[in-house]
Amino acid sequence: MMIAKGQFNISLTPQDDESPAGRMLIDKTYTGDLIGSGIGQMISKRTVAGTAVYYAIEEFSGQLKGRTGAFTLVHSGVMDKTSQSLTVTVLAGSGEGEFSDLSGTLDIIQENGVHSYIFNYSL
C-alpha cells in the first residue's frame, strides 16, 4: 500500500427535492498528493433522535503523485449520539487513464474547519 496526503476544499449545494432525505451536489478541489477535482452527489438523512446517515458517489479527475486519470469514490457514513463511522473506497474497476488498476480507501479528517485526507492505495 502507498499513502497520499493533502487537503481539500468542499462546496455542498442543497437540491430542492421532495423527499425525506436531502440531496446535495458535491464540488471539491484537492491539493497535496492528489491534485484535481471531485464532483458528485450526496444523499443524507438526520433523524429527530440525532442519528444520521449519508451516502455519496464522487468522481475524481486529476493527478496522484504525477499519474493522471480518473476514478470513483464511494462514501458511506453513519453516526449517532455515541459513535460515528465513515468509509470512503475506490469503486473497483472505475479507474481510467493511469489509474486503471487503482484500489484503496480514503480517510477524511476535519480539524478547525480544515478538511484533509489520507489516501491508502495500490496501483
Side-chain angles (χ1 to χ4, degrees), residues 3-35:
I3 297 175
K5 296 180 180 182
Q7 296 181 342
F8 63 89
N9 293 320
I10 183 169
S11 173
L12 298 173
T13 305
Q15 300 302 288
D16 190 18
D17 296 334
E18 295 201 17
S19 169
R23 184 172 61 93
M24 295 190 199
L25 298 180
I26 300 167
D27 187 3
K28 289 182 179 177
T29 302
Y30 287 88
T31 59
D33 294 329
L34 278 172
I35 299 172

Side-chain angles (χ1 to χ4, degrees), residues 6-10 28-31 106-110 114-117:
Q7 296 181 342
F8 63 89
N9 293 320
I10 183 169
K28 289 182 179 177
T29 302
Y30 287 88
T31 59
L106 186 126
D107 297 323
I108 295 174
I109 300 108
Q110 288 182 274
V114 175
H115 292 87
S116 58
Y117 64 85

Side-chain angles (χ1 to χ4, degrees), residues 45 50-55 75-87:
K45 168 73 177 182
T51 58
V53 62
Y54 98 90
Y55 294 97
H75 300 237
S76 173
V78 178
M79 68 179 226
D80 60 28
K81 292 179 182 178
T82 60
S83 65
Q84 61 181 354
S85 70
L86 173 61
T87 305

Side-chain angles (χ1 to χ4, degrees), residues 101-113:
D101 294 325
L102 181 71
S103 63
T105 60
L106 186 126
D107 297 323
I108 295 174
I109 300 108
Q110 288 182 274
E111 292 179 346
N112 301 319

